[in-house]
Amino acid sequence: MKKSKSETLEFREQIFDFYGFTESAREFITAKSDIIVRDFSPTSGGGFWHPDKNLVELFTAQHEAAVHELSHVWWHFFRLKYPKLKKGLVLDTVRLADLNPAEYRGCEQAIVFAHGYAYGTDDWIGMYG
């Protein structure tokens, strides 16, 4: 179900409120990006950050995807300004990916996600693929 631009912006504000985005994060993300939601009916489906368009595109009203893609807005500009910190985060992601999930109960999903980012998945090449 397609909604108006104002309803889409209201959805972003709800995400900001529900997940505790700071005022400075809200202002930064709002100033640096636009957002579209393709379909508000389902609540799973992901999305994309399009840095060339400064656009967060959500396929659905999935909260996890909204937080993830909105966070890309901040990360995109932060990594350009602070390349040493970018390298540190990448190295930390690889270290997380290399952990044995059996040894870190409760962190299995984070390890699997990090492994996908670092080495790829069935449908994505990964950072080092």
Side-chain angles (χ1 to χ4, degrees):
M1 176 174 74
K2 190 120 171 119
K3 297 223 178 186
S4 71
K5 180 67 173 178
S6 65
E7 290 170 309
T8 300
L9 296 178
E10 184 179 314
F11 173 73
R12 180 176 63 191
E13 290 300 318
Q14 290 169 354
I15 295 295
F16 286 162
D17 289 342
F18 193 77
Y19 294 98
F21 282 67
T22 64
E23 191 58 38
S24 62
R26 292 167 182 249
E27 290 172 6
F28 184 87
I29 292 167
T30 299
K32 296 286 189 180
S33 67
D34 199 4
I35 184 170
I36 58 172
V37 180
R38 297 286 175 205
D39 188 350
F40 276 89
S41 298
T43 55
S44 64
F48 284 110
W49 159 240
H50 301 283
D52 57 325
K53 300 175 187 170
N54 291 336
L55 177 67
V56 170
E57 176 186 12
L58 300 173
F59 301 134
T60 70
Q62 180 185 22
H63 282 209
E64 179 186 10
V67 171
H68 180 96
E69 300 308 332
L70 290 167
S71 297
H72 272 294
V73 177
W74 174 83
W75 172 245
H76 174 76
F77 292 98
F78 184 85
R79 71 184 174 85
L80 296 174
K81 188 172 181 179
Y82 302 103
K84 286 183 182 179
L85 291 176
K86 174 185 88 168
K87 183 178 179 183
L89 180 61
V90 170
L91 293 173
D92 288 343
T93 301
V94 173
R95 281 193 279 276
L96 178 60
D98 291 342
L99 294 177
N100 180 349
E103 294 178 30
Y104 295 92
R105 298 285 181 212
C107 300
E108 298 91 349
Q109 188 175 19
I111 294 168
V112 168
F113 283 151
H115 193 275
Y117 279 118
Y119 304 112
T121 63
D122 290 339
D123 58 355
W124 186 61
I125 195 167
M127 290 188 295
Y128 301 107

